Amino acid sequence: MQKQLEEDADAFNLIFSQVQPHFIELMNNPFGNYLCQKLTERMTDDQLTEVLNMIKTKIIWICQN
């Protein structure tokens, strides 16, 4: 999956669309956090803005965990 994220734009878009609603929970999971980091490396500005708007109300909770 990690290799596909790096090499295949279609795989990235599919994975991002499935993971995006769960980004907050994944950021607080050791393995999920790694996935989130990999995704953010490839996100478009619009995708990054979408995620930032979603997590902004939980940023303190995310940082504490």
Side-chain angles (χ1 to χ4, degrees):
M1 189 162 120
Q2 293 170 9
K3 187 175 181 177
Q4 286 181 327
L5 275 174
E6 295 172 2
E7 297 175 357
D8 186 350
D10 290 333
F12 168 82
N13 289 325
L14 178 63
I15 293 168
F16 176 78
S17 68
Q18 296 297 310
V19 166
Q20 190 268 341
H22 309 284
F23 223 81
I24 293 171
E25 300 93 83
L26 289 169
M27 290 177 80
N28 286 302
N29 175 285
F31 299 107
N33 187 308
Y34 184 73
L35 175 63
C36 292
Q37 289 177 45
K38 287 295 182 185
L39 287 169
T40 39
E41 290 173 5
R42 303 256 338 256
M43 284 183 197
T44 65
D45 289 343
D46 289 339
Q47 290 169 326
L48 187 56
T49 299
E50 186 178 331
V51 168
L52 289 173
N53 283 329
M54 182 180 65
I55 69 168
K56 69 183 176 186
T57 61
K58 300 287 186 182
I59 196 72
I60 293 174
W61 181 78
I62 291 166
C63 292
Q64 290 175 334
N65 287 306

